[in-house]
Amino acid sequence: HWMTPSASRTCLTRSVMSEAAESRNNDVVEPPVFDNTGLPESWEAAVLLVDKPVGLTSFGVVKRIRHRVPVRKVGHAGTLDPMATGLLIILVGRATKSMDHFMGQDKIYTGTIRLGETTASYDAESEVLERHPTDHLSDADVATATRPFIGTIGQRPPAFSAIKIGGERLYK
């Protein structure tokens, strides 16, 4: 059970979503446009399942939804980095009281690994600092190296993380 029986569940669908195209000139990200397909009649308690595009922050999604619903209480159950895509659970109205339930659910992450490249931010958001040859690596070598990232893991945020320590963003 995801929520109490009285809470409504619905899906926010995208009517226009063109990969959140980034302009090379000024790094403006085109916001997605959401239609009203499948939205509830009552916003007393709703859960919206949003396919977050690249380039939009989790709070950016919340902000856009907050401007389109007749309820001020809107939040998300877990932050996705701006570069990440995937399911973002948006809670509206009384459903925000179920945030801990959603945050406690198992999650599955997938990604692409670029072997032989090193960046300061540990992801594709910063420039490649070093490149190393990878043709000597076998599939077995890659499987062995990725094994520690499979299953339940403790994750230490990198210095570029948006996490706050002492009220200050870690990357600052």
Side-chain angles (χ1 to χ4, degrees):
H1 245 246
W2 282 74
M3 297 215 32
T4 59
S6 63
S8 63
R9 286 178 281 183
T10 189
C11 181
L12 188 67
T13 59
R14 303 173 291 158
S15 61
V16 177
M17 181 84 68
S18 61
E19 294 298 319
E22 286 189 51
S23 167
R24 297 277 184 228
N25 297 339
N26 56 11
D27 292 318
V28 173
V29 176
E30 294 294 325
V33 178
F34 300 102
D35 67 17
N36 291 333
T37 306
L39 295 180
E41 290 181 25
S42 168
W43 288 97
E44 188 176 322
V47 177
L48 306 177
L49 306 177
V50 176
D51 185 10
K52 191 193 86 57
V54 169
L56 194 58
T57 65
S58 297
F59 181 73
V61 173
V62 167
K63 188 175 172 184
R64 283 175 172 78
I65 291 172
R66 193 175 282 149
H67 291 296
R68 289 173 170 80
V69 299
V71 177
R72 297 301 311 151
K73 204 167 188 178
V74 179
H76 59 81
T79 301
L80 292 175
D81 289 340
M83 283 192 65
T85 62
L87 176 63
L88 182 64
I89 301 171
I90 302 293
L91 306 169
V92 180
R94 284 195 343 250
T96 57
K97 294 180 181 180
S98 299
M99 186 170 296
D100 288 342
H101 173 74
F102 286 100
M103 296 286 287
Q105 297 297 310
D106 289 340
K107 297 162 187 71
I108 296 174
Y109 298 94
T110 62
T112 301
I113 300 171
R114 292 192 327 218
L115 299 175
E117 293 185 352
T118 304
T119 67
S121 60
Y122 305 117
D123 61 22
E125 288 199 55
S126 61
E127 288 185 37
V128 174
L129 300 175
E130 298 177 17
R131 284 193 171 80
H132 303 279
T134 59
D135 21 343
H136 66 285
L137 298 174
S138 68
D139 288 348
D141 292 331
V142 174
T144 299
T146 58
R147 202 168 289 128
F149 299 101
I150 297 172
T152 302
I153 62 171
Q155 191 176 11
R156 194 172 83 198
F160 281 80
S161 173
I163 195 170
K164 289 184 180 178
I165 295 179
E168 188 72 24
R169 297 268 184 213
L170 191 57
Y171 60 82
K172 291 186 177 179

